């Protein structure tokens, strides 16, 4: 039948496209493994001073999870509470600004359960915080936009929080997740730092095997069509 020719060609094309998707997943896996290795190296390194204004324009994803220290003074403004879900359950991240002398760095002091919101130890006086650099989270969370006017936060958007608190000094385009310990929490343990989850989903090998398997199946299907040859007329 004449239909065998386009059917065979279509099967070959599908096999090639599926193989290309498999190759792409192999490349993505290599990229993800390199990313995990870089982040693991940052987590194991000694803390460095948090980047100053001269570096802010270059801050990006490659700086995420760098161990840093922030020193300065806590500014006397209300903390922002960004909704969070942690191993301790649902609640809020407590975000407060530190004036470093050259600019402002937002610090995620840690987690509080809903019942502790607003009852945690206030951040005041000198600040010395060690933690992980995290890039700002503009806009909001999944399907939820931040509402600065209503003081409802679903992500740690440092620029929006700074505007909502009337901060006029330059603000770093990142925040710092405080480590566990007295630097973040009061005598009662709230807010509780050190709850940053550093986990990267890596299913690229599974996807690659799936695409290559489908490609092989389509290639076999095309071979069977071509092998059958043209149909004979009666």
């Amino acid at each position: 039948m004449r239909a065998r020719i386009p059917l065979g060609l279509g099967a070959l094309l599908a096999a090639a496209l599926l193989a290309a998707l498999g190759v792409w997943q192999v490349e993505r896996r290599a990229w993800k493994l390199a990313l995990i290795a870089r982040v693991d190296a940052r987590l194991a390194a000694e803390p460095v001073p948090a980047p100053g204004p001269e570096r802010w324009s270059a801050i990006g994803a490659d700086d995420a999870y760098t161990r840093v220290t922030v020193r300065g003074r806590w500014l006397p403004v209300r903390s922002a509470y960004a909704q969070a879900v942690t191993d301790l359950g649902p609640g809020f991240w407590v975000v407060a600004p530190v004036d470093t002398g050259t600019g402002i760095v937002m610090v995620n002091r840690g987690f509080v359960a809903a019942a502790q919101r607003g009852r945690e130890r206030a951040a005041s006086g000198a600040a010395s915080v060690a933690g992980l650099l995290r890039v700002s989270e503009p806009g909001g969370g999944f399907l939820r936009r931040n509402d600065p006017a209503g003081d409802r936060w679903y992500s740690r958007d440092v620029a929006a929080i700074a505007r909502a608190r009337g901060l006029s000094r330059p603000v770093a385009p990142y925040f710092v997740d405080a480590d566990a310990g007295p630097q973040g929490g009061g005598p009662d343990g709230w807010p509780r730092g050190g709850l940053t989850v550093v986990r990267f989903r890596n299913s690229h090998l599974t996807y690659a095997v799936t695409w290559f398997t489908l490609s092989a199946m389509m290639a076999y299907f095309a071979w069977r069509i071509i092998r059958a040859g043209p149909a004979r007329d009666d």
Side-chain angles (χ1 to χ4, degrees):
M1 294 185 300
R2 291 189 178 91
R4 285 178 178 169
I5 296 175
L7 186 60
L9 291 175
L12 284 174
L13 177 61
L17 290 175
L18 290 167
L21 287 172
V23 171
W24 177 64
Q25 286 296 334
V26 170
E27 293 172 346
R28 290 284 295 172
R29 180 174 182 270
W31 169 82
K32 183 64 68 66
L33 291 175
L35 171 64
I36 292 171
R38 290 196 302 271
V39 171
D40 285 346
R42 293 175 204 156
L43 294 174
E46 289 297 316
V48 298
E54 70 282 356
R55 282 199 55 209
W56 287 356
S57 62
I59 295 294
D62 287 342
D63 299 288
Y65 303 108
T66 300
R67 293 188 55 77
V68 298
T69 55
V70 178
R71 291 184 173 84
R73 298 193 66 81
W74 297 104
L75 289 176
V77 299
R78 288 183 297 112
S79 297
Y81 296 88
Q83 286 200 350
V85 177
T86 72
D87 291 341
L88 301 178
F92 302 89
W93 298 121
V94 182
V95 182
V98 172
D99 186 346
T100 67
T102 59
I104 294 171
V105 173
M106 291 292 182
V107 172
N108 171 20
R109 297 177 60 209
F111 172 82
V112 292
Q116 278 77 35
R117 175 174 174 167
R119 298 169 58 187
E120 73 280 352
R121 178 177 63 87
S124 61
S128 180
V129 179
L132 299 179
L133 184 150
R134 304 289 307 280
V135 179
S136 181
E137 302 166 339
F142 181 66
L143 298 178
R144 287 184 167 185
R145 302 289 294 177
N146 289 329
D147 178 14
D151 205 25
R152 287 185 288 271
W153 305 96
Y154 303 101
S155 72
R156 289 157 291 186
D157 184 338
V158 296
I161 292 172
R163 287 193 298 269
R165 294 298 181 265
L167 302 179
S168 58
R169 297 281 302 281
V171 179
Y174 61 83
F175 60 94
V176 175
D177 276 346
D179 288 344
Q183 63 183 4
D188 58 356
W190 303 103
R192 192 162 300 174
L195 294 179
T196 306
V197 175
V198 185
R199 185 183 302 133
F200 297 95
R201 189 166 178 264
N202 186 11
S203 301
H204 298 295
L205 182 58
T206 300
Y207 295 148
V209 170
T210 300
W211 291 127
F212 285 135
T213 301
L214 292 173
S215 175
M217 291 171 63
M218 291 304 298
Y220 176 73
F221 179 56
W223 176 78
R224 287 293 301 270
I225 294 172
I226 295 169
R227 185 172 179 271
R232 293 190 298 271
D233 293 331
D234 294 334

